[in-house]
Amino acid sequence: MEISELYADIIMDHQRNPRNYGTLEEKDVEVHTTNSSCGDEIFLEIKFDGDKISQIAFHGHGCAISKSSASIMTELVKGISKQKALELSKKFVEMVKIGKTQERELKDAVVFQGVSQYPLRTKCATLSWHALEEALKRTAV
Ligand code: ZN
């Protein structure tokens, strides 16, 4: 993959030490999602505090891209509102589709810009974000 070494390092770091990995004691919603083209599987759990994502955790198995993307996603959306999380998700999915972004809010998630060149891998990168959208949809007021 033609991504910089810095990007590769960030992906490897999140794959080896995924943030918010595991399960929550208390949760409001759980989404199970799979990416059959790669074999990735993610369980995403969220606890809300009013409109805010107060706790988020994921577990499952899959490739480095899906796992590191899920880890980065949970870091980005923890503590923010549902609306804000949804906006970030749309920006991420758009970035992966067109291969670039101007959105600073995506922070470390920009490392996945390069996967746009690999259609099968884009599903790995967006899997956890789609799980997030599903979770937000299910808990919409
Ligand atoms: Zn994958």
Side-chain angles (χ1 to χ4, degrees), residues 35 37-41 61-67 120-121 123-125 127:
N35 170 17
S37 63
C38 178
D40 306 317
E41 180 175 32
H61 61 268
C63 66
I65 301 283
S66 68
K67 201 170 173 186
L120 285 175
R121 305 255 89 178
K123 286 188 185 174
C124 303
L127 186 66

Side-chain angles (χ1 to χ4, degrees), residues 75-107:
E75 277 199 315
L76 284 180
V77 303
K78 194 173 180 178
I80 68 175
S81 71
K82 289 181 182 179
Q83 184 57 40
K84 194 76 201 157
L86 204 55
E87 283 170 26
L88 270 184
S89 184
K90 292 198 185 327
K91 285 173 182 172
F92 182 83
V93 171
E94 176 73 6
M95 176 194 79
V96 166
K97 200 163 69 181
I98 64 173
K100 60 181 183 200
T101 185
Q102 308 292 331
E103 302 291 346
R104 292 195 186 149
E105 289 167 302
L106 287 174
K107 298 181 185 165

Side-chain angles (χ1 to χ4, degrees), residues 6 12 15 33 36 64 70 74 84 86 108 121 124 132 139:
L6 170 69
M12 285 307 286
Q15 190 219 350
T33 183
S36 56
T74 60
K84 194 76 201 157
L86 204 55
D108 278 359
R121 305 255 89 178
C124 303
L132 171 70
T139 54

Side-chain angles (χ1 to χ4, degrees), residues 17-29:
N17 303 298
R19 320 302 197 265
N20 303 304
Y21 191 85
T23 56
L24 298 178
E25 275 180 35
E26 273 184 67
K27 63 196 170 194
D28 293 315
V29 63

Side-chain angles (χ1 to χ4, degrees), residues 20 24 26-31 44-58 70-89 128-140:
N20 303 304
L24 298 178
E26 273 184 67
K27 63 196 170 194
D28 293 315
V29 63
E30 177 177 357
V31 172
L44 182 70
E45 302 180 1
I46 299 177
K47 172 93 180 112
F48 296 100
D49 177 9
D51 187 44
K52 225 171 65 180
I53 296 172
S54 63
Q55 297 289 332
I56 185 165
F58 80 99
S71 172
I72 290 172
M73 181 276 287
T74 60
E75 277 199 315
L76 284 180
V77 303
K78 194 173 180 178
I80 68 175
S81 71
K82 289 181 182 179
Q83 184 57 40
K84 194 76 201 157
L86 204 55
E87 283 170 26
L88 270 184
S89 184
S128 58
W129 288 92
H130 287 313
L132 171 70
E133 288 188 12
E134 175 65 26
L136 297 176
K137 206 192 311 175
R138 280 194 212 166
T139 54

